[in-house]
Amino acid sequence: MRAPRILVAAATAMTVAAGTACGPGTDASAPSGTGPGGKPFKIDVLLGLSGDYAPVGKAMAQGARAAVAVINQQGGVFGKPVEINVIDTAGDPVQAVTQARKLVAGGRPQAVVPGMVTADIMATAPLLTQAKVFMATHGPDPRLNDPKKYPYLFGTTYLRDQMATSLAAEFTAKGFKKVSLITAEKSGSVGAQTIKDVLAPKGITTNIVTVPVTAVDATSQMQQALDLDPDVLVLDSYGPPSAAILQARTKLKPATPTYASQNFSSGDLAQTGPVSAYAGVRLQSLSFAVKGHQTTQTPAFKAFFDAARQQAGGKLEFSMNTYVVTYNDVILAAYAAKLANSTDPAKMTAAIEKASPAQIPYFLGPVNFSPSNHYPSFGPQWWAFTGYNGMDNAQIVPAQP
Amino acid sequence: MTTIWTGLAIGAVYALVAVGYNITMAQSGIFNFTQGQVMVFGCFFAWFTMVDLNLPWWGAAVAGAVVCGLIGLLVELLAVRPVVARHGAHGHALLVTTVGAFVIILGALAATWGRTPKSLPFFGGSETVTLLGGKLSPVDLWLVAIAVVTALAMHLVSGRTSWGLSGRAATDNPDAAKAKGVNVTALRTTAFMLAGALGGLLGPVLAPKVGVSVSIGVSLTIYGFVALALGGFGSYLGCLVGGAAVGLVQASAGRYFGAEYPPLILFGLLVLILLVKPTGLFGHRGLRVV
Amino acid sequence: MSTRQRLSALALDTPAPAIAAFVLVALLPLFGLAGHWQQQLALIAIYTLICSGLNLSFGYAGELALGQVAVFASGAYISAILYQHGFTDILGGFAVAVCLAAVTGLLTGIPGLRLSRWALALVSFFYVLLVPELLKLFESETGGTAGLAGILAPTFFGWPLGTTGFYVVAVVVTLLWMLLQRNLIVSRFGQFLRILSASPTLTESLGGSVYRLRVQAYVIGALPAGLAGVLYTYLTGFVSPEAFTLHLLIALLAATVVGGAASVWGAPVGAAILVLGPLQLKSFEEYSTLAYGVFLVVIGTAFSGGLAGLARKLRDRVLPRPGPQGAGDGESAADLSIPGTRMVVAGVEKSFAGLRALSGVDLTVEPGTIAAIIGPNGAGKTTLLNLVSGLLPADTGRVELAGRELTGLRAHQVSRLGVGRTFQTPVDLGSMSVLEVVESGRFRKGNLGSLSAILRLPKYHRVREADRKAAVAALSFAGLEHAAAQDAASLPLGTRRLLEVVRSVAGEPSVLLLDEPAAGLDDSELRELGMLMRRIRDAGGTVVLVEHNVPFVMDVADQVFAMELGRVIAAGPPEVVRRDQRVIDSYLGRRGRREPADHELDPRTT
């Protein structure tokens, strides 16, 4: 009997020791609301710096660092420079959860960008919510915009229905009634359904055709899409199948007007096909990804663009969206603390819900959050439709009409 | 008709993979798991030589053939020969090492050129051709022609040359062939090299069709195998038929049912043919792999 | 037995060290193991379960069936779907997942009944492509490509299970499975799988149904993957098709092979390396796929046993195994009954692709006699043995054993009715010991008893005891008891041929068919073989012998049948057949130049 008792005693002692040792060491375990004069505001950013998504993850990290540079130029938060801590998740939900648990175990982090791809974010968000952590995310899944379920989570990007609304406006203006939409599994099939649901009340019917992710040829799908004699063809894929889809269009040369959704445009357009393959395609894009658009003439955009290029070593290789999403995540988190003058998640949340555009001048996009809507609403002025004439520093060079 | 052309074009790709499999099957009785992945390597290499080094397409094809032939040699030397020496040509150790070689090529491609897909425009242009009422790209035409020529050529080589004939003898009865002085090891090595070289040679034509991406290796490997299993192990002309069948099923099922169905249908077809006629439609008995 | 011996037996022959290690790991949270480390260890547990399933089908049964990823996905999804419907109990999740895994394992294993090797491996590769398609087809429940999120807190009998609770459950479940599997592996079933991977023909002739064994291996191998799926869902709180990829499959295969595919405890080692190893370092991440491939090639070519194999070698060098208990404690040949019965072959015909191999063979062999079949190559001797033992179906004619018809039965059924046989080429059974090889001759008697073996019921110990005793008796019958603990593969070829006979004897066969047992034996080995055969006859056995060594045959046989071109041309006592003119013309006169036999059924290739 003796040995076990000693064992238990030792174990208890060690647990307590471990608890006290790591307790006061971290800033965030101090009572909530370490305000001005405390330690520097720190944002933990979960990104896939290795694995399948490594190149994109690295570009996203550059976007996040660009935001830090811009904020610190403006005096930082609580009068001190902001810090970010980029943590590698390899784009894998298991590793993302592990890292999130690790963060929470060390005391409540002040703000977290909870992952890189939807899988990561969907896995970490519930856990971080449970630990009452303030989150700013670029996850586009509408399930995340649920302040009841995720009270401390804010989105920084457009949701799919907004992208669809912009398309709906364009199609209504052109008088299109019948849409054939080509999407790819994984990237877009959920988004495609959203587009269909948004277009339906406008009297526009959508026929969705899905291309397998592993497809090397999308001719049959393109034929299927054209079979119904649609008024307009929409390309809505992301990643490898996009090239096959574009090739199929080149081959079949349909006379049908063709649009590429933001989903498609945020991919690597230059690798998807040559400029000639885009002849007759209108690209839907976030406006600041189009070279020369008026939303790129603001001081906020210029600050972002300069900082991002500096972080990337002069040239932006990936799509504009890649850099903007994490940039916005960090900007929003930092301003939440700055406006609330606190790191208390409830106060930060309240501050963002009430914030006006002027209060967050460096956020690229609309600032119109509310207690019931934690994602920004990108209105028509944030969307552009343009022809494609190559890329320049992550910006689409518009084709001359 | 466009659907049929599409099916035949993609079928030609699978037929070419199947021909590659068949070379080692017919000459040594060994299934070369790496063939599909070597062809992906050929695509990457064509992209590298044509885009980065600005070689003309024929230069890229020759360079690709040499490099991929060497890869075939390495696979045989490192992953096949030691295992055959130790466990014979039928043990499951050989499966592990050839799958391992498949993974090595995949990993090397991902580490060198990354996982973001690239594209290589076809040197023969992209002007659509209309043939028998169906539309197709020049690359599709080329692929169908190349598949037919390659399969016919290999068919003649295997039936008319001493290399092909001794391969047949060696797979039917290795011990007897050895006794007759056939160098079984040399046959196997040359077969792996030839299959690899074929993959490299085709790079400049395959890459514009299937893309330059590490993610296509699995589909080439699997659908190429379906083509081989349908057509028959050991038969080059069977590869053509099998490839065309797989391509047509993929194109028409994809067109009329939806994207989820072609893999399910092809899977059912594969299991069915392996269970009902394990030698495939035109296969010869000695090469049952099941 | 001294304390020291007892301790070493405890350490070597029981899973005690492994249990101690697992219990220690389960208790680590008491010593302040941080939450994220618990996560990593739980992940190791998950991978351990999947690898151990792969061990069963790949390592032991020798088939590269990679349906595990599909089963893993099914377990993960079913528990996520249950959670969405309000069933949060983790034990309930396990129960449902195990049932589903059994069904999935059966479905994914069906192609494996007829296929093997390449074809099976490629078919199972296909599953990786099919998983996302199937999930899409059932999108309303599975969430399609978007997956299911927020599966956070499982319950355990209604109590919410915290991180630590979950961790303990994961470790304990893994340990329990490993113990069950370990019990299974050392049972008849496990031995049969090892034999199956070496030779399906041998398996059948030892009374094991190849189909049934394969199905059982796939179904049982699927179960841990189902459990792993449940644990995975609750570990991440999120499932989507992206988790079940080729990359995962490759990583798990590499982990299995590195740990040692044919070993129970290699699985946790491989899984631990996968999760904690150097590949997780950021600088190596890019090369991880490459490294998995290198592992597969290097281990496949050089160390086929993996780390477990290396450890086994090291252990055998440092701590030589004690001999089996029961050996040499006075058991004598008299303990072995060989209840021979009368065998009748009547009018048997067989053609291969139009070529007549047997054209109407009649012969009768009485119990307590040795009958030899002689004749030139192509006479149909081995074909006849294959027909009697059920490896080939006869075109017409019948075979009877004590009045019971054998015609039309499959080889394993014939074996279970009492026909024992040996093959010309002994099958290399890898690391099986001599005693284990001989015990396998007993498997045709009684059933596999997998359940009693897994649960270690008294029946298991009873059967095992009986098997061991009979095996030792059979070994001493041939004077081989000293070799009991050696690896069978390490014996000289002549002794291995004797061992084939001994194995059949251990099964107490009604008829013993020997296919060229004397080929390649030296004089003293021949004498031993002759002695062994006579002892079998004297114990009442019915022995049928196919042999080219005429002096040996004439010396040992009571009855000789001479065959030519598929029929019996002479029969009778040796001295009569020896003087038969037709036999001299067709066979005996030409003896001296021996050719390799044709039509032989090599057990390795079928």
Side-chain angles (χ1 to χ4, degrees):
Chain A
M1 250 349 263
R2 199 170 207 172
R5 203 173 286 164
I6 292 172
L7 213 66
V8 171
T12 321
M14 279 174 75
T15 320
V16 173
T20 44
C22 64
T26 41
D27 43 339
S29 74
S32 60
T34 308
K39 299 208 163 190
F41 185 65
K42 188 173 128 196
I43 304 167
D44 294 293
V45 182
L46 299 178
L47 288 177
L49 298 176
S50 55
D52 284 5
Y53 302 100
V56 180
K58 283 172 187 155
M60 285 188 162
Q62 289 163 356
R65 295 214 174 83
V68 172
V70 168
I71 295 163
N72 288 346
Q73 231 166 30
Q74 306 301 315
V77 176
F78 309 150
K80 296 203 167 171
V82 173
E83 289 177 5
I84 62 165
N85 172 31
V86 180
I87 300 167
D88 183 17
T89 66
D92 170 34
V94 179
Q95 291 199 37
V97 167
T98 307
Q99 297 296 348
R101 287 237 161 97
K102 210 166 166 179
L103 277 178
V104 175
R108 183 168 52 74
Q110 294 171 317
V112 172
V113 175
M116 169 165 160
V117 291
T118 310
D120 292 4
I121 300 166
M122 294 308 295
T124 54
L127 196 142
L128 292 168
T129 300
Q130 220 174 34
K132 298 195 168 42
V133 176
F134 184 87
M135 284 173 275
T137 181
H138 51 271
D141 196 308
R143 288 178 290 178
L144 289 167
N145 188 16
D146 185 349
K148 281 202 192 76
K149 202 167 166 194
Y150 305 112
Y152 312 114
L153 179 145
F154 283 87
T156 62
T157 185
Y158 61 92
L159 285 172
R160 284 162 181 154
D161 57 339
Q162 298 168 14
M163 171 180 116
T165 308
S166 149
L167 278 177
E170 174 81 3
F171 293 170
T172 311
K174 300 269 179 189
F176 299 143
K177 287 287 170 207
K178 244 165 80 180
V179 175
S180 264
L181 182 142
I182 300 193
T183 182
E185 281 165 353
K186 249 183 203 175
S187 60
S189 53
V190 180
Q193 191 58 41
T194 314
I195 294 178
K196 184 173 183 167
D197 294 345
V198 170
L199 291 181
K202 314 270 182 208
I204 305 175
T205 57
T206 312
N207 163 41
I208 300 174
V209 181
T210 311
V211 177
V213 179
T214 50
V216 293
D217 187 297
T219 312
S220 357
Q221 284 82 13
M222 182 60 74
Q223 282 182 289
Q224 209 182 334
L226 295 173
D227 274 348
L228 293 170
D229 198 18
D231 300 332
V232 60
L233 181 70
V234 179
L235 315 183
D236 183 48
S237 58
Y238 178 83
S242 294
I245 291 172
L246 203 61
Q247 268 177 30
R249 180 179 175 276
T250 309
K251 179 156 106 186
L252 298 177
K253 279 202 259 174
T256 320
T258 306
Y259 278 76
S261 69
Q262 163 69 20
N263 216 359
F264 190 102
S265 312
S266 59
D268 192 343
L269 295 176
Q271 277 302 337
T272 304
V275 171
S276 63
Y278 292 91
V281 180
R282 300 283 289 167
L283 299 176
Q284 178 196 32
S285 171
L286 277 180
S287 58
F288 41 72
V290 178
K291 193 170 182 177
H293 193 275
Q294 60 187 23
T295 49
T296 64
Q297 312 297 324
T298 61
F301 183 82
K302 284 184 173 147
F304 153 77
F305 201 48
D306 292 343
R309 271 186 299 179
Q310 200 181 351
Q311 291 294 334
K315 194 163 163 21
L316 302 182
E317 303 276 356
F318 288 85
S319 75
M320 183 62 79
N321 218 32
T322 317
Y323 303 96
V324 168
V325 285
T326 37
Y327 175 86
N328 271 344
D329 290 343
V330 171
I331 293 277
L332 193 78
Y335 272 91
K338 199 168 181 170
L339 293 175
N341 199 15
S342 162
T343 58
D344 178 71
K347 289 184 186 160
M348 288 164 79
T349 301
I352 295 293
E353 284 170 352
K354 287 191 303 239
S356 67
Q359 282 178 305
I360 314 183
Y362 288 95
F363 187 76
L364 290 178
V367 177
N368 48 15
F369 303 93
S370 73
S372 63
N373 190 3
H374 277 189
Y375 270 67
S377 302
F378 282 75
Q381 73 274 28
W382 297 99
W383 297 98
F385 289 90
T386 175
Y388 173 80
N389 193 22
M391 298 295 288
D392 177 25
N393 261 316
Q395 290 188 302
I396 296 166
V397 181
Q400 301 310 317
Chain B
M1 196 62 210
T2 304
T3 307
I4 295 177
W5 280 127
T6 306
L8 290 179
I10 192 68
V13 175
Y14 299 140
L16 286 166
V17 181
V19 166
Y21 283 142
N22 210 20
I23 294 176
T24 54
M25 280 295 280
Q27 297 301 112
S28 63
I30 288 174
F31 182 83
N32 180 5
F33 224 103
T34 61
Q35 186 62 26
Q37 204 62 257
V38 169
M39 290 187 146
V40 175
F41 187 95
C43 292
F44 268 93
F45 197 74
W47 169 81
F48 171 68
T49 46
M50 290 174 71
V51 174
D52 276 18
L53 304 183
N54 275 319
L55 287 189
W57 66 268
W58 49 268
V62 171
V66 171
V67 170
C68 290
L70 282 177
I71 292 178
L73 176 69
L74 284 177
V75 169
E76 201 278 329
L77 282 183
L78 300 178
V80 177
R81 190 173 296 187
V83 185
V84 172
R86 210 186 240 234
H87 305 281
H90 293 283
H92 70 248
L94 197 53
L95 261 178
V96 173
T97 53
T98 46
V99 169
F102 170 99
V103 176
I104 289 179
I105 300 174
L106 173 74
L109 284 176
T112 319
W113 283 306
R115 288 175 191 267
T116 27
K118 296 147 185 57
S119 69
L120 177 69
F122 183 49
F123 56 83
S126 57
E127 266 315 294
T128 305
V129 186
T130 306
L131 202 65
L132 301 175
K135 290 179 182 169
L136 69 170
S137 323
V139 67
D140 296 347
L141 261 182
W142 274 69
L143 276 169
V144 173
I146 289 175
V148 172
V149 169
T150 311
L152 278 176
M154 284 313 302
H155 178 72
L156 292 178
V157 165
S158 78
R160 303 273 169 88
T161 65
S162 70
W163 183 75
L165 289 172
S166 37
R168 224 178 249 188
T171 47
D172 282 349
N173 190 343
D175 293 328
K178 252 185 216 159
K180 284 183 199 133
V182 173
N183 186 341
V184 177
T185 311
L187 276 178
R188 192 173 62 225
T189 312
T190 45
F192 269 83
M193 287 178 72
L194 181 67
L198 177 69
L201 189 70
L202 294 172
V205 191
L206 277 181
K209 180 72 189 169
V210 302
V212 182
S213 150
V214 286
S215 63
I216 54 170
V218 182
S219 6
L220 285 191
T221 301
I222 288 175
Y223 293 130
F225 176 72
V226 180
L228 179 70
L230 284 180
F233 302 98
S235 161
Y236 289 103
L237 300 182
C239 291
L240 276 186
V241 179
V246 174
L248 288 173
V249 167
Q250 215 173 43
S252 48
R255 172 135 157 72
Y256 299 108
F257 298 119
E260 298 93 299
Y261 293 95
L264 291 171
I265 294 174
L266 286 173
F267 178 74
L269 207 59
L270 172 67
V271 171
L272 194 73
I273 190 94
L274 287 175
L275 294 182
V276 175
K277 200 164 182 318
T279 52
L281 295 176
F282 306 98
H284 81 102
R285 266 195 80 77
L287 285 175
R288 257 188 68 163
V289 291
V290 291
Chain C
M1 236 198 281
S2 72
T3 322
R4 207 194 134 138
Q5 267 177 325
R6 213 167 274 169
L7 270 181
S8 107
L10 193 68
L12 290 178
D13 297 332
T14 71
I19 295 177
F22 268 81
V23 169
L24 191 69
V25 169
L27 291 178
L28 279 178
L30 282 181
F31 301 95
L33 184 74
H36 67 274
W37 277 106
Q38 295 180 15
Q39 289 246 301
Q40 296 291 66
L41 290 178
L43 192 61
I44 294 177
I46 289 169
Y47 288 162
T48 299
L49 285 168
I50 305 177
C51 289
S52 88
L54 274 171
N55 271 340
L56 205 63
S57 57
F58 174 60
Y60 288 100
E63 295 289 1
L64 191 54
L66 302 169
Q68 246 77 12
V69 167
V71 179
F72 181 45
S74 77
Y77 265 95
I78 196 67
S79 58
I81 291 168
L82 284 175
Y83 188 92
Q84 303 276 333
H85 288 279
F87 301 99
T88 58
D89 194 283
I90 194 163
L91 293 181
F94 284 142
V96 177
V98 161
C99 296
L100 186 66
V103 175
T104 321
L106 191 63
L107 288 178
T108 55
I110 283 173
L113 294 185
R114 284 284 301 271
L115 312 179
S116 76
R117 313 288 180 211
W118 314 112
L120 183 58
L122 275 151
V123 167
S124 65
F125 249 62
F126 218 131
Y127 296 131
V128 179
L129 290 188
L130 291 183
V131 167
E133 309 296 338
L134 288 170
L135 290 174
K136 253 193 80 121
L137 282 179
F138 299 102
E139 188 158 2
S140 60
E141 284 298 328
T142 62
T145 47
L148 297 168
I151 306 146
L152 269 188
T155 54
F156 186 76
F157 289 120
W159 293 355
L161 207 55
T163 317
T164 306
F166 172 79
Y167 166 76
V168 173
V169 167
V171 175
V172 169
V173 164
T174 309
L175 172 63
L176 288 179
W177 166 259
M178 299 297 289
L179 289 176
L180 294 184
Q181 199 202 9
R182 182 254 173 202
N183 285 349
L184 191 63
I185 288 301
V186 296
S187 75
R188 284 182 162 193
F189 175 74
Q191 301 287 31
F192 248 145
L193 289 187
R194 290 161 80 175
I195 297 169
L196 177 62
S197 78
S199 162
T201 310
L202 179 59
T203 309
E204 284 272 326
S205 76
L206 289 175
S209 160
V210 168
Y211 285 7
R212 201 174 307 157
L213 282 168
R214 281 201 180 138
V215 172
Q216 283 172 340
Y218 297 142
V219 170
I220 297 175
L223 304 183
L227 294 175
V230 178
L231 290 174
Y232 179 85
T233 294
Y234 286 120
L235 180 68
T236 59
F238 175 75
V239 279
S240 81
E242 284 175 59
F244 311 102
T245 56
L246 180 71
H247 189 76
L248 177 72
L249 183 61
I250 290 169
L252 288 170
L253 187 61
T256 306
V257 175
V258 167
S263 120
V264 176
W265 304 107
V269 176
I273 293 175
L274 180 62
V275 176
L276 303 176
L279 292 178
Q280 297 304 325
L281 293 178
K282 270 176 210 161
S283 44
F284 281 110
E285 175 72 37
E286 260 178 276
Y287 302 101
S288 67
T289 313
L290 189 63
Y292 295 148
V294 172
F295 279 149
L296 289 175
V297 172
V298 169
I299 292 177
T301 48
F303 317 96
S304 42
L307 288 176
L310 290 179
R312 207 175 288 141
K313 271 184 203 142
L314 193 70
R315 182 194 68 190
D316 288 350
R317 192 168 304 164
V318 178
L319 296 164
R321 313 212 90 192
Q325 288 121 48
D329 49 359
E331 314 220 23
S332 68
D335 280 341
L336 208 62
S337 75
I338 303 180
T341 53
R342 186 165 196 249
M343 184 184 94
V344 178
V345 174
V348 166
E349 296 183 11
K350 178 75 190 173
S351 302
F352 293 104
L355 229 75
R356 277 238 149 154
L358 296 177
S359 36
V361 172
D362 301 279
L363 50 87
T364 302
V365 186
E366 300 293 339
T369 63
I370 296 174
I373 304 175
I374 58 170
N377 291 314
K381 307 181 298 294
T382 296
T383 306
L384 182 64
L385 282 200
N386 288 338
L387 280 175
V388 172
S389 50
L391 292 171
L392 291 173
D395 295 342
T396 54
R398 59 205 165 75
V399 180
E400 278 176 14
L401 205 63
R404 173 147 193 192
E405 179 103 23
L406 297 185
T407 332
L409 297 183
R410 300 185 56 86
H412 64 97
Q413 295 166 319
V414 171
S415 162
R416 299 186 80 83
L417 286 175
V419 177
R421 76 165 284 177
T422 67
F423 292 95
Q424 288 177 13
T425 323
V427 174
D428 184 357
L429 288 173
S431 61
M432 281 174 88
S433 75
V434 167
L435 189 69
E436 284 171 328
V437 168
V438 177
E439 278 175 352
S440 70
R442 306 268 306 166
F443 292 173
R444 61 173 198 79
K445 298 171 82 76
N447 52 26
L448 280 181
S450 297
L451 194 66
S452 60
I454 292 176
L455 301 176
R456 291 290 151 110
L457 301 178
K459 185 178 164 222
Y460 164 77
H461 291 287
R462 213 162 50 232
V463 172
R464 189 167 172 77
E465 187 69 8
D467 282 357
R468 182 134 297 185
K469 272 193 174 153
V472 171
L475 276 173
S476 62
F477 214 85
L480 280 175
E481 61 269 48
H482 60 276
Q486 285 184 36
D487 269 4
S490 68
L491 297 178
L493 185 67
T495 317
R496 272 163 68 195
R497 282 177 197 259
L498 274 183
L499 191 60
E500 290 267 305
V501 181
V502 172
R503 174 172 61 202
S504 300
V505 169
E508 301 174 2
S510 311
V511 172
L512 182 54
L513 310 175
L514 306 176
D515 196 356
E516 297 202 31
L521 298 196
D522 63 27
D523 285 347
S524 75
E525 284 167 341
L526 268 181
R527 264 198 309 281
E528 275 176 45
L529 177 66
M531 243 153 64
L532 177 58
M533 288 175 60
R534 285 194 194 95
R535 291 185 72 172
I536 296 168
R537 177 191 60 194
D538 297 344
T542 311
V543 181
V544 179
L545 168 75
V546 163
E547 188 50 68
H548 276 298
N549 187 331
V550 176
F552 177 73
V553 165
M554 296 304 169
D555 179 39
V556 78
D558 302 305
Q559 188 85 356
V560 175
F561 297 90
M563 286 182 69
E564 190 195 19
L565 296 174
R567 55 178 81 241
V568 177
I569 53 169
E575 54 277 11
V576 175
V577 174
R578 198 203 311 253
R579 284 191 292 272
D580 187 289
Q581 193 54 45
R582 279 208 295 168
V583 178
I584 294 172
D585 290 346
S586 74
Y587 181 58
L588 295 181
R590 301 190 312 183
R591 292 302 298 161
R593 55 186 177 92
R594 290 193 46 189
E595 306 148 36
D598 53 354
H599 274 318
E600 70 185 32
L601 194 68
D602 186 334
R604 285 170 311 173
T605 54
T606 317

